[in-house]
Structure formats: C-alpha cells, structure tokens
Amino acid sequence: MNGVIIIDKPAGWTSHDVVNRMRRILQQRSVGHLGTLDPLATGVLPLVTGSLTRLAQFYTASEKTYEGVIRFGFATNTYDADGDPVGEAHPVSPSLEQLHKLAASFQGLIDQVPPPFSAKKIHGIPAYKLARKQKEVVLNPVQVEIKEFSILGVEADRAHFRARVASGTYMRSVAHEMGQLVGSGAHLASLRRTAVAEFQITQAHTLEEIAAHSNEGVIKDHLKDCLPGLTTTCHSDRSFAFPKGKESGVQEPAVPNHKGIAALFVHPRQLLPQFPSVTADEPAAARIRTGRPVNLPELSRARQVKVFHGQGELIAIATRVAGTLFHPRIVFPDLEERPFRT
C-alpha cells in the first residue's frame, strides 16, 4: 500500500513501536514516520507507507502544535514525568498572571538547550545513550522558534498550555527552563501533539481501530474456512510483541484487508497543500512513470507540483523546467494495492 495514515500514538509507546505494529498490520516493511514523539507523549504521528515513504523529505521542517501540562515543584533528569526527580521538591503554586508573563518571554526565536535524554549527538553518539550511563552530557544551545505559547489555566502546581512551534523545539526543555526561572524546578507532566504540518488530531486513528479495519471482511475474502458459517470478524491467532503493559485485544489478521484500511488513509490530494495538483492524461502519466519530462496543464508559477493519474493516484512530484514543461523529481511506483485508486 502507498499512503499516509495518521496515528493517535498511545502513551508508553515509542514511535518505532508504532511503526513496527503497522508493519505487522499491513504486512509490509515499507512503513516510516514523519516525526518522532517521546514515549510519554500522545497524539498525531503521521506514518508513510509503500513508495510514499519518499515524501518524508518534505516534512523534515514541519511545524507542530502541542497541548500539555507543566508540573512545578521539582525537576527530573529527563525533563518529563518519565524521569527521576532531581534535587529537593519545592511546593509552589504559581499564578496565572506570573506564568502568562513567563510564557511570553519564550515566544519567538530563542536559544534552547536540548534535554540530555535526547537524540542529539555528541561526537556521533546520541546524548541519551551517554545519559543512561550517567556520563556527563553537555549540549550546545540551538536556535528554535516558538510561534505561539499560551498558558490556558493553572491548577495548584500544574499549568495547562498550548504551543505552536517550529521543528526541533523541545517542550521538555521549555518546561525545565520555566521551572528554573520560577525557582522551584519543573518538568513536563504530559504532552499531546495535535498537529504536524497539515495533519490534524481529528484525522488520527488508534492502532486498535486500524487493526479492526484490517480484520473487516477477512473471512469473506480470505479465511472462509476459519469457522464455517461465521459472518463476523475472525481474528487470527498471530501475536504481536506489545510494549510491556500495552497488550491489545485486537490482533492482526493472517491476511490484511487493505480495502478496509484504505478508508483510513489521508486522501493523496490533501498531502503537501503548498504544491499545486495537476492531473496527467494517460500518455503523460506513462512518460512520468519512466522519469521523462512532460508538458502538463499547470499555469501557475509554482516550482514544484503534485502529479496525479485520475483523482487519487499520486504518481510523482515534478519540478518545473520552463513554462509548462516539468521533470519528475520523485516518481512513486505503481503498486497493485493503493488507497484511493480510481
């Protein structure tokens, strides 16, 4: 399957856990994600499958939106609730007015020190590997941009916030630094990502929902001999190695029902909205599939366009050479199974 599907990542799972689960559901290796979420965090995790994994290069600098809770009173070594407390606890109840002013000081371009438990590399070694061995981790500040940062409310030692940030921004570091400025220490108690680039939480699906759609119609199409006369979904006995304590009652089918899952994928014309869409006729599509330049009915001055065959088959990202002449920059191979094939 070629496509993009939005996962509502559960707490306690790494982004790689989610990718592995989807590989089992779809029974294909070509699955990747468009931006890591910490195990503590939940929410929008876009996955790309099949030849559309090549779209990842267009999402490396994607804007992200978060909602979460900062707990004041003590810091942790990971800057979030998964870590061990650092230093003594200092009971504190900051005021909403105090935190509004503090949040305003973080907006715009700022220099931010990444958390020691992060993927930032020191002499080629990820910082978290050094931190786990209790070795000293010294990371240089990085310029990041916080476009919006609002404190929505305060309950005792917890502040609820919403933030819209540029790629590379760590909300864990924001929480840690706010705790230092308040003088009590603080850490990120919870985090939910509500948007990445054009993808919204309203488009997200749980893994259980996707597995259930994968099972739909399996008996009718593939497993008629499972239980004679059965008309409801039949789950296979295949197991999956879930993260500890995160077992699910829904299992992957022996043969995935791609038609059932296809309805959950983002329609290809909604991808990369900054690029105009153009529909190629049969001769032009044939040339594009072989990597040859072609004239397309696209009259804007956009440098790059999305090229479709029919309404739902994304076949290429093409770069304008001159006028209406385009050269395919990326060609997406034609596969048997594809969401929204028309």
Side-chain angles (χ1 to χ4, degrees):
M1 294 184 74
N2 286 349
V4 178
I5 188 167
I6 314 304
I7 306 299
D8 186 348
K9 189 189 87 64
W13 289 55
T14 67
S15 299
H16 191 61
D17 288 335
V18 175
V19 168
N20 278 341
R21 177 79 196 279
M22 281 300 295
R23 285 172 176 165
R24 292 293 300 270
I25 291 174
L26 299 178
Q27 296 194 20
Q28 67 181 65
R29 293 291 304 172
S30 54
V31 178
H33 63 72
L34 298 181
T36 301
L37 267 178
D38 291 337
L40 171 84
T42 65
V44 174
L45 181 66
L47 299 187
V48 283
T49 69
S51 62
L52 291 198
T53 54
R54 301 184 69 188
L55 288 176
Q57 61 190 284
F58 297 104
Y59 290 93
T60 56
S62 296
E63 180 179 285
K64 301 171 176 68
T65 304
Y66 296 99
E67 293 180 358
V69 176
I70 298 171
R71 183 179 180 185
F72 292 87
F74 65 96
T76 70
N77 61 343
T78 60
Y79 297 2
D80 64 17
D82 283 344
D84 297 325
V86 176
E88 296 182 2
H90 300 277
V92 63
S93 297
S95 69
L96 182 59
E97 181 181 3
Q98 177 187 12
L99 295 184
H100 274 319
K101 292 179 179 178
L102 195 56
S105 69
F106 282 85
Q107 293 192 56
L109 292 172
I110 63 171
D111 289 331
Q112 182 183 79
V113 178
F117 283 83
S118 68
K120 294 291 184 180
K121 293 186 177 181
I122 301 175
H123 303 301
I125 301 174
Y128 69 84
K129 290 187 176 182
L130 299 173
R132 285 174 181 171
K133 296 178 180 179
Q134 298 184 341
K135 293 185 177 181
E136 183 181 18
V137 175
V138 178
L139 292 168
N140 295 322
V142 177
Q143 188 177 75
V144 300
E145 183 178 9
I146 299 180
K147 301 181 179 182
E148 294 179 13
F149 185 29
S150 302
I151 302 299
L152 306 178
V154 178
E155 297 176 6
D157 60 353
R158 298 168 191 262
H160 298 258
F161 71 86
R162 180 184 298 119
R164 183 167 61 88
V165 304
S167 180
T169 306
Y170 285 92
M171 293 311 299
R172 284 187 288 147
S173 289
V174 172
H176 183 78
E177 291 175 25
M178 288 184 75
Q180 290 178 324
L181 293 172
V182 169
S184 64
H187 63 276
L188 192 63
S190 66
L191 187 68
R192 183 163 179 77
R193 190 157 69 186
T194 58
V196 175
E198 65 265 27
F199 308 117
Q200 304 292 321
I201 191 65
T202 53
Q203 299 172 285
H205 306 281
T206 65
L207 290 167
E208 289 78 13
E209 180 185 359
I210 295 167
H213 275 74
S214 178
N215 281 319
E216 287 178 1
V218 168
I219 292 177
K220 180 187 294 185
D221 297 337
H222 303 293
L223 302 177
K224 293 181 180 179
D225 297 330
C226 179
L227 289 176
L230 187 63
T231 58
T232 57
T233 300
C234 175
H235 294 166
S236 75
D237 60 0
R238 298 185 67 173
S239 61
F240 174 79
F242 291 88
K244 188 175 181 181
K246 300 296 179 183
E247 292 79 6
S248 170
V250 180
Q251 296 177 316
E252 297 83 357
V255 181
N257 178 16
H258 284 175
K259 291 182 180 179
I261 300 175
L264 304 182
F265 278 72
V266 178
H267 195 286
R269 286 192 180 253
Q270 296 178 352
L271 304 175
L272 298 172
Q274 68 270 32
F275 296 164
S277 296
V278 58
T279 302
D281 58 20
E282 288 288 350
R287 290 182 62 87
I288 288 169
R289 292 187 196 280
T290 56
R292 292 179 289 173
V294 64
N295 281 292
L296 295 171
E298 213 294 310
L299 302 179
S300 77
R301 295 185 177 182
R303 181 173 173 269
Q304 297 186 104
V305 298
K306 298 174 292 188
V307 185
F308 288 85
H309 178 223
Q311 287 302 305
E313 183 184 351
L314 178 60
I315 61 174
I317 302 294
T319 301
R320 189 185 303 272
V321 177
T324 59
L325 181 64
F326 288 84
H327 189 279
R329 172 182 171 184
I330 300 174
V331 176
F332 304 109
D334 186 21
L335 301 180
E336 278 188 15
E337 294 286 348
R338 176 186 289 103
F340 308 109
R341 178 79 182 253
T342 58

